Amino acid sequence: MIIKNGRGYELVKEMPNTSEDFFNRSEITIVSKKMEKTFYVLYVRYFEDKFREQNPLLFEGSDLSIKDVMALICIIQNEALLERKRLYLNTEEEFLMFLQGIDLRAAIELIPEMNRNQTMKWSEVVQKLKTPIHKE
């Protein structure tokens, strides 16, 4: 599998009576077996804002945020999600669960390179982002 690109963005209200402006969307495009597929993750922006407040050092010196890599993180944590088109994270616990075991700083720093190259190998990205579990 090849990762082509990823990005995240804040949704904007299309109509005055909707709540879209409270959500972030993250997407990742992957090429596998000559087929291109885009996977989307939608979640409440508050989850990211709260995480960012609790972990300010992770984001120091970077204008990127979790929304830029959340879709990538979700499929790294559960490749079966690639069989779906989208995922909605509706609890903060679920949001945080996907972040466990991921080198978030490496993920955030990887996005510009990934979008520039558009040919990053899946196995290399997983190896860079998965943090090893230490057993004693």
Side-chain angles (χ1 to χ4, degrees):
M1 275 193 314
I2 301 293
I3 300 175
K4 200 166 177 185
N5 61 36
R7 70 184 186 120
Y9 47 93
E10 296 179 354
L11 296 183
V12 217
K13 278 189 179 210
E14 290 187 19
M15 299 182 69
N17 61 344
T18 64
S19 59
E20 292 163 315
D21 58 336
F22 293 112
F23 293 89
N24 283 347
R25 179 172 285 142
S26 178
E27 61 184 57
I28 188 83
T29 303
I30 292 180
V31 178
S32 177
K33 300 177 186 170
K34 306 217 185 231
M35 288 185 57
E36 189 172 289
K37 177 174 176 71
T38 302
F39 174 71
Y40 303 89
V41 175
L42 181 70
Y43 60 91
V44 179
R45 185 173 306 131
Y46 171 77
F47 302 158
E48 182 172 340
D49 292 343
K50 188 172 175 187
F51 183 83
R52 200 177 181 100
E53 285 174 13
Q54 294 171 346
N55 302 280
L57 295 177
L58 276 174
F59 303 94
E60 212 169 77
S62 175
D63 59 346
L64 297 171
S65 64
I66 295 173
K67 69 180 173 283
D68 296 311
V69 293
M70 195 62 190
L72 174 63
I73 289 169
C74 288
I75 60 173
I76 285 174
Q77 297 287 39
N78 183 358
E79 274 190 61
L81 290 173
L82 280 175
E83 295 174 19
R84 299 171 59 173
K85 185 171 178 118
R86 63 184 62 89
L87 172 67
Y88 174 59
L89 302 176
N90 60 354
T91 67
E92 187 176 358
E93 292 76 25
E94 189 177 21
F95 176 82
L96 294 173
M97 181 190 70
F98 276 103
L99 298 179
Q100 290 178 358
I102 294 290
D103 183 343
L104 197 52
R105 185 172 241 1
I108 290 170
E109 292 170 355
L110 182 73
I111 285 293
E113 178 186 348
M114 184 174 65
N115 289 337
R116 187 174 45 253
N117 294 340
Q118 294 194 353
T119 57
M120 295 195 81
K121 291 184 179 173
W122 174 255
S123 56
E124 292 173 8
V125 171
V126 171
Q127 187 177 17
K128 283 182 183 180
L129 302 188
K130 280 282 230 184
T131 54
I133 297 171
H134 300 287
K135 293 185 179 179
E136 295 182 26

